[in-house]
């Protein structure tokens, strides 16, 4: 099997994670039980997840000139991701404040920092996109940058997987260049105005889509084909923070390897399940052997 070449365009953040028995309500202070500081950001997470799932990966994004930026680049590089195109922008790096409750639920506040300065793709960055088998992008960096990368990928025959997260308006030009859309319930509603019981509404925007439903699995929809529900893999949940990133990256890797997309969604569901068994974002992203183990488990 040929190794999939993935290019990820997205964010890099330092995750400041606090753990408590329950998440605080507005105006409430709760005592936490633990704190960890970990590299994260949807782009960096998906790049690391792609490598752990068996792909080679180049990461295109931006970090700040602060201490967080130094740590972020060192950690992402150590994970096996090609960071040769990673920009350094004067000022602060992106930071995510993550609160994790006792049942594994989370609440996240992201300040973009250097990620907002990731604009105007260079010819070298565009070449890295064109040379990949699959481009994976999210919406934590300027949408104009994501659109430029997607158009470059489309011109070169590189498949485009758009994880439209966080929920925000997506220009028609970007949707037209998207081969596979990955969204959760909130993001799907933001794009279509429909509920999770209408996954086919996404096909008004793109030719293929995956609607993730957490513990209720996922829907795969494709034009001119019946919708397919893929059940979740049942595991004990510790932290769901990076489950979506593990899912998206594994899906892109499996599709790049030539698997049928329904099978690729099943494999991605196993990756998401493997991820939620551990605390943290990038440190919880599963390796290929862990994904394969859950994928082969009877539902």
């Amino acid at each position: 099997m040929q190794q999939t070449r993935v290019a990820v365009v997205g964010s890099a953040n330092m995750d400041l994670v606090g753990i408590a028995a329950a998440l605080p309500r507005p105006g409430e202070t709760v005592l936490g039980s633990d704190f960890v500081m970990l590299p994260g950001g949807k782009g960096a997470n998906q790049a690391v997840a792609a490598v752990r799932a068996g792909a080679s990966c180049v990461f295109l994004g931006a970090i700040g000139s602060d201490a967080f930026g130094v740590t972020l680049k060192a950690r992402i590089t150590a994970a096996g991701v090609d960071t040769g195109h990673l920009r350094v922008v004067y000022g602060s790096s992106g930071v995510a404040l993550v609160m994790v409750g006792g049942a594994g639920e989370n609440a996240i506040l992201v300040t973009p920092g250097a990620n907002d300065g990731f604009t105007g793709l260079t010819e070298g960055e565009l070449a890295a996109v064109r040379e990949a088998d699959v481009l994976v992008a999210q919406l934590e960096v300027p949408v104009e940058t994501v659109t430029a990368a997607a158009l470059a990928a489309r011109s070169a025959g590189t498949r485009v997987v758009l994880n439209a997260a966080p929920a925000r308006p997506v220009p028609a030009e970007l949707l037209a260049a998207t081969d596979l859309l990955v969204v959760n319930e909130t993001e799907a509603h933001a794009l279509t105005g429909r509920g999770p019981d209408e996954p086919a509404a996404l096909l008004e925007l793109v030719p293929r889509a995956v609607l993730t439903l957490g513990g209720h699995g996922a829907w795969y929809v494709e034009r001119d084909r019946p919708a397919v529900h893929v059940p979740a893999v049942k595991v004990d949940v510790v932290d769901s923070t990076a489950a979506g990133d593990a899912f998206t990256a594994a899906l892109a890797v499996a599709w790049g390897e030539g698997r049928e997309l329904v099978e690729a969604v099943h494999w991605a569901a196993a990756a998401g399940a493997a991820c939620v068994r551990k605390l943290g974002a990038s440190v919880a992203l599963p390796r290929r052997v862990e994904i394969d183990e859950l994928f082969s488990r009877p539902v």
Side-chain angles (χ1 to χ4, degrees):
M1 182 183 299
Q2 184 174 350
Q3 187 179 41
T4 301
R5 298 170 298 172
V6 175
V8 173
V9 170
S11 60
N13 299 321
M14 185 60 74
D15 290 351
L16 308 179
V17 185
I19 299 95
L23 298 179
R25 293 168 293 188
E28 181 185 19
T29 299
V30 301
L31 291 176
S33 58
D34 201 0
F35 171 80
V36 290
M37 187 171 72
L38 303 164
K42 296 193 73 64
N45 285 346
Q46 291 179 17
V48 172
V51 169
R52 291 185 179 175
S56 64
C57 182
V58 57
F59 177 49
L60 307 176
I63 53 175
S65 56
D66 55 3
F68 284 164
V70 174
T71 302
L72 282 168
K73 183 171 184 178
R75 296 282 187 86
I76 297 167
T77 303
V81 177
D82 180 352
T83 57
H85 294 282
L86 184 59
R87 299 186 194 178
V88 177
V89 176
Y90 181 77
S92 64
S93 298
V95 174
L97 306 175
V98 184
M99 295 182 292
V100 181
E105 74 279 15
N106 63 71
I108 306 172
L109 170 66
V110 177
T111 57
N115 295 302
D116 271 351
F118 182 44
T119 58
L121 292 176
T122 67
E123 185 51 45
E125 290 165 338
L126 292 171
V129 168
R130 297 187 189 105
E131 292 166 2
D133 298 311
V134 183
L135 168 69
V136 179
Q138 322 79 34
L139 300 177
E140 286 185 339
V141 296
V143 69
E144 297 81 6
T145 303
V146 176
T147 301
L151 292 174
R154 173 57 60 91
S155 70
T158 297
R159 291 170 171 170
V160 178
V161 176
L162 175 63
N163 178 205
R168 59 190 294 189
V170 181
E173 190 177 26
L174 175 54
L175 291 170
T178 297
D179 295 298
L180 176 62
L181 179 69
V182 182
V183 288
N184 64 19
E185 296 174 66
T186 301
E187 295 145 8
H189 186 268
L191 289 173
T192 67
R194 318 276 183 86
D197 56 338
E198 298 182 85
L202 295 166
L203 298 180
E204 298 172 10
L205 306 174
V206 293
R208 306 168 195 84
V210 176
L211 172 60
T212 61
L213 303 171
H216 298 290
W219 282 101
Y220 172 67
V221 291
E222 183 177 343
R223 289 173 184 166
D224 301 321
R225 291 185 58 180
V228 178
H229 180 257
V230 174
V233 180
K234 301 302 181 183
V235 295
D236 293 329
V237 177
V238 175
D239 181 3
S240 62
T241 302
D245 296 332
F247 182 101
T248 299
L251 178 62
V253 172
W255 195 24
E257 290 175 349
R259 302 194 198 198
E260 291 291 330
L261 268 168
V262 172
E263 179 186 348
V265 176
H266 277 277
W267 201 67
C275 183
V276 303
R277 298 185 297 185
K278 301 176 185 177
L279 177 67
S282 59
V283 295
L285 298 168
R287 300 189 182 278
R288 191 178 183 98
V289 64
E290 298 173 83
I291 302 172
D292 285 338
E293 187 271 325
L294 288 181
F295 177 66
S296 63
R297 180 186 296 181
V299 178

